[in-house]
Amino acid sequence: MAAPSQPQKSNYDVIVIGAGIQGSFTAYHLAQRHKDTLLLEQFLLPHSRGSSHGQSRIIRSAYPQEYYSRMMPESFRLWQQLEAETGTTLYRQTGLVLLGPPDEPELEACRRSLGVDEVLDAAALAQRFPGFRLQAGQVAVLDSTAGVLFADRALRAVQEVFRRHGGTLRDGEKVLRIEPGATVTVTTTAGVYKAPRLIITAGAWTGAFVEQLGLHLPLQPLRIDVCYWREKQPGSAGLGSVSPCFLTLGLSQAPHGIYGLPSIEYPGLMKVCHHHGSPIDPEKRDQVPSSAPRPDTAVLSSFISSYLPGLETQPAVRETCLYTNTPDEDFILDRHPKFSNIVIGAGFSGHGFKLAPVVGKLLCQLSLGEEPSYDMAHFAITRFPSVLGAAQ
């Protein structure tokens, strides 16, 4: 952050609002393209108010949607490039087991995306990974490429390289107003900045920003419980730091899906979370009383007693995170329909972190008027036709 006593620069090639993982990777790609880039963050860094904090996220090749699975090889390569640039380990390969009924279309699509033939039944899964217990007739597919990204470390690394390439990161500056035009003017609590291009990657706050610009996107912030569960007998559950991640698809016991990561953040505690939460105003996230009902915990407790019997059925640690969901849980990566020099990246719906290197590249390409590297149809604002009238 610039020292207050120094003259503050006000003109840039590109301004990026929001220094979470998506905005930071967008700024990283712009700086590598020699664009003079300002990255604005409303909170002092590091912080835990958004969607990019915490120590771990799953990265996987398996995706039921082909348009995501096609991006994953490049995403892995760009994560490795960032590791090399910073000399920092950002990824641990653990593998991932996908659990579901044998006739589940998404599970079969994941198997095809991996190009594997092997499907594990309950006995085979228990033999390979003793901590997991499938129910009769259910199956598992193994993604051996998958693992854990060290989230906090990754965010620091990408911001470090951005600054190394001449980028400016200003934290503790809340954006108050955006004035569109051939030159976009952004007013914050600390200054006024101008650039011919603006990219908005403000997570749960994106909806409020784009409403200033006449656009009403169907973005729903959710408050997610991130729960950690203790082994009943330390080291005996087969769920320690060497166990795989897991993800459920189509299980009736796991509405919206449940996922888990091995014991990394807290020794002896496994991270198991419901891919769902309660609607929340991000400005009021910390006003939710700790005694408020948490129905997702009951879903998780029931799932753990059936599928992960080596864990206690009440969480030992509970933290929170924000998701910002779209109705179809696909991202929004597009230019504003009226102001083509304003680009929006939003709605990452709890599965965007792993893809952030590619998302940042695509947002960079959109901002520079280039042809994106991938088919963008699934990420277009026009798939929500009701929002367009407000932006005309």
Side-chain angles (χ1 to χ4, degrees):
M1 187 169 171
S5 60
Q6 296 175 342
Q8 187 167 310
K9 179 177 172 178
S10 60
N11 292 289
Y12 294 86
D13 294 333
V14 193
I15 298 171
V16 181
I17 298 175
I21 196 65
Q22 311 296 348
S24 294
F25 258 115
T26 302
Y28 160 98
H29 284 288
L30 288 162
Q32 290 196 323
R33 300 283 297 275
H34 308 293
K35 301 302 176 185
D36 188 8
T37 305
L38 171 64
L39 178 58
L40 291 170
E41 170 55 48
Q42 65 173 320
F43 300 115
L44 292 171
L45 294 169
H47 70 83
S48 59
R49 301 289 302 278
S51 303
S52 296
H53 65 281
Q55 295 184 50
S56 62
R57 296 290 191 282
I58 294 174
I59 183 169
R60 54 188 162 102
S61 297
Y63 249 110
Q65 300 93 341
E66 188 181 357
Y67 45 95
Y68 290 122
S69 64
R70 281 199 299 264
M71 295 177 179
M72 284 312 304
E74 183 176 18
S75 193
F76 272 102
R77 180 179 64 77
L78 290 171
W79 280 115
Q80 291 166 354
Q81 178 180 307
L82 182 62
E83 285 187 315
E85 286 175 313
T86 58
T88 306
T89 300
L90 303 176
Y91 162 68
R92 177 187 294 175
Q93 188 172 353
T94 64
L96 167 82
V97 288
L98 299 133
L99 313 175
D103 57 351
E104 168 56 42
E106 289 197 335
L107 186 64
E108 176 60 18
C110 284
R111 187 192 66 76
R112 288 197 305 269
S113 78
L114 292 168
V116 301
D117 296 322
E118 185 180 18
V119 176
L120 306 176
D121 61 14
L125 181 68
Q127 183 173 11
R128 187 173 298 189
F129 304 115
F132 292 89
R133 178 190 293 165
L134 279 177
Q135 306 304 296
Q138 295 172 351
V139 297
V141 171
L142 176 62
D143 178 353
S144 60
T145 68
V148 175
L149 289 169
F150 303 126
D152 284 342
R153 196 185 300 176
L155 187 61
R156 288 194 302 271
V158 70
Q159 291 170 353
E160 174 192 327
V161 176
F162 165 64
R163 284 185 288 218
R164 195 188 298 167
H165 283 273
T168 301
L169 172 57
R170 297 187 64 88
D171 62 348
E173 286 198 36
K174 185 177 179 67
V175 172
L176 303 175
R177 188 167 63 256
I178 299 168
E179 298 168 59
T183 297
V184 183
T185 302
V186 177
T187 302
T188 75
T189 49
V192 178
Y193 308 100
K194 296 177 182 290
R197 304 174 186 89
L198 173 69
I199 302 172
I200 301 173
T201 52
W205 288 265
T206 298
F209 283 128
V210 300
E211 282 188 4
Q212 294 183 36
L213 303 169
L215 191 60
H216 298 278
L217 295 178
L219 297 171
Q220 177 59 70
L222 298 176
R223 182 179 184 269
I224 306 295
D225 280 337
V226 180
C227 298
Y228 298 82
W229 310 75
R230 193 180 309 280
E231 294 174 286
K232 291 177 179 176
Q233 295 182 6
S236 66
L239 295 169
S241 60
V242 297
S243 71
C245 303
F246 77 86
L247 179 66
T248 71
L249 293 169
L251 290 181
S252 59
Q253 301 92 329
H256 307 287
I258 289 173
Y259 64 93
L261 293 84
S263 173
I264 291 176
E265 283 129 302
Y266 301 105
L269 302 184
M270 186 175 186
K271 180 177 178 177
V272 182
C273 307
H274 194 197
H275 191 78
H276 189 57
S278 305
I280 189 77
D281 177 345
E283 293 289 352
K284 299 177 180 177
R285 171 183 167 180
D286 296 334
Q287 297 175 24
V288 178
S290 59
S291 58
R294 286 181 151 134
D296 293 325
T297 303
V299 172
L300 289 169
S301 295
S302 175
F303 175 85
I304 283 169
S305 65
S306 297
Y307 288 83
L308 301 167
L311 298 180
E312 300 284 355
T313 56
Q314 293 300 314
V317 176
R318 184 188 280 116
E319 299 171 347
T320 60
C321 187
L322 290 181
Y323 285 6
T324 306
N325 280 30
T326 60
D328 56 14
E329 296 192 356
D330 284 329
F331 310 156
I332 293 172
L333 309 173
D334 205 353
R335 299 181 182 92
H336 190 290
K338 185 176 180 181
F339 308 114
S340 61
N341 60 341
I342 297 177
V343 170
I344 300 159
F348 295 100
S349 303
H351 67 104
F353 199 101
K354 70 183 78 60
L355 283 156
V358 174
V359 165
K361 177 182 174 181
L362 290 169
L363 293 174
C364 170
Q365 290 171 333
L366 286 171
S367 181
L368 298 179
E370 299 173 356
E371 184 69 23
S373 302
Y374 297 89
D375 181 1
M376 302 296 282
H378 292 281
F379 312 122
I381 288 172
T382 51
R383 73 186 197 269
F384 305 118
S386 62
V387 309
L388 296 178
Q392 300 305 311

